[in-house]
Amino acid sequence: MTSSAELLKLTNELHSKVSRLHQHVQENSLKWTSFDIASEWEVPLPHSLQTVREEAIEATEELHALLLGPSSYFMRLLDPTVLIYSCLQAIHRFHIAEKLELDEEISYGELADRCGIKTTHLRRLLRLAISYHIFKEPTKNAVSHSAISRLIKENPDYDSWIGLVCEEMIPASVHYVSALEKWRGDDDPAHTGWAMANNVETSLFEAIGTNPVRAARFASAMTALNSTPTLLPVHLVQDLPWTAESCPRTVVDIGGSQGAIGQILLTNFPQITKVVVQDLPEVLRGAKIPESLQSKLELMEYDFFTEQKVKGADVYFFRSILHDWPDHKAIEILRNQVSALSTGSSIILNEMCLPDPGTVSMSQEQHIRSYDLRMTQSFSGTERDSEDWRALIANVDPRLRVLEIRNSPGSLLSVIQIVMQ
Ligand SMILES: C[S@@+](CC[C@H](N)C(=O)[O-])C[C@H]1O[C@@H](n2cnc3c(N)ncnc32)[C@H](O)[C@@H]1O
């Protein structure tokens, strides 16, 4: 049993952490964010206070769970949170955020007409969304934007992320257990919850590779994902073991989508003379490279299940690629690079390195474990811990060795440096 004193202890901890945040905001004449349409997205906090904020969030979550108690906490896992996905899918499918101007307050009926759906359904969907701060109902039966709906309207990458999650990944989750029952978890990328949801026996990446609409949405969704604090490329820049002297000249970014990370590498490491971004043709099609980087950034169609065609580059770089694949496929992808490596070349992975269970906070644990499950449900992929990484690399080629695994606080991804002995 938890003593009620535990509740007070958590509340006091929370109070002291929030007081530190408040003091910083006051001293620097900042404003804390809100859900009002005009709010900033983030409060700029130094690193030490970002940790304080994380700890405060932890305390609120623990307090919330303890106040609810096991029965109510459990019931809330099933209802109502999961239904927000229907609201978000409708917002994406019917372009609801796009159809409402930022300064407008209009009736549900008018917005429903603009979106081509029945008023009763739009109202039902938006009223649940509003209870999660998505849109507002400032006066009865009238709707306006909130900070979140404005984010969706103004940033198409966020809309793509909603589309990818609600139209590919949630159906994959719903069908995952049946897929597991049917194919017994055989690690075939064509035997996933996603395949079962779509009534096919192909992988999600095959669908992306042959469908320009899906490919564009996937690439755009990756941009949104990369803008979440724990996945910001700034962590990669910080964790790469490159000094002015040791910085590579040539980098191949394999599965580099539309070159966003390639551009960041070129901008932050001026010693790099060339980044080759390789991906599937449908994904590369929409890439837009700024004029100033065009001479240094090359887009190249390449299927990583074939032998690497760029030989002797200094670095072969993979970010969030191998977690999409089961071990036998990840080994195949890496083996396809081995013949391209020359003396001094290295492979750098920017992937999650799972912590041991129970060594991070509960909400971090929830985050990390759900990523792992999502990779399995949609791709037959997997997240890996340091032992898994070392075993995988040893299986690719006995001459390859993991030199270092770096992870800065606040980053979900590690930098794993692999060299040929
Ligand atoms: C999870 S995304 C990561 C994208 C990018 N590295 C990033 O961090 O934003 C996986 C990428 O692998 C690419 N991909 C999937 N199958 C591929 C294949 N057979 N050959 C090359 N790229 C592939 C996808 O198109 C996608 O861009």
Side-chain angles (χ1 to χ4, degrees), residues 5-43:
E6 178 67 19
L7 300 177
L8 273 182
K9 190 170 155 252
L10 275 169
T11 313
N12 289 336
E13 274 175 26
L14 184 59
H15 185 267
S16 103
K17 291 181 196 313
V18 173
S19 299
R20 286 179 63 191
L21 296 174
H22 175 64
Q23 191 186 351
H24 175 81
V25 166
Q26 294 289 300
E27 284 172 1
N28 293 281
S29 308
L30 299 170
K31 273 201 177 137
W32 199 259
T33 51
S34 76
F35 292 96
D36 287 340
I37 186 170
S39 172
E40 297 290 332
W41 307 129
E42 285 287 334
V43 190

Side-chain angles (χ1 to χ4, degrees), residues 45-98:
L45 292 176
H47 187 73
S48 57
L49 287 182
Q50 285 174 25
T51 311
V52 170
R53 179 173 61 177
E54 281 309 310
E55 288 166 355
I57 294 169
E58 280 306 316
T60 57
E61 288 181 354
E62 212 178 321
L63 198 56
H64 173 85
L66 285 173
L67 285 170
L68 279 170
S71 151
S72 301
Y73 179 80
F74 161 70
M75 289 306 279
R76 283 198 186 194
L77 291 179
L78 294 168
D79 199 43
T81 333
V82 288
L83 288 166
I84 193 64
Y85 292 118
S86 285
C87 307
L88 285 166
Q89 186 178 14
I91 290 168
H92 171 76
R93 183 81 68 88
F94 301 118
H95 310 286
I96 299 174
E98 204 182 308

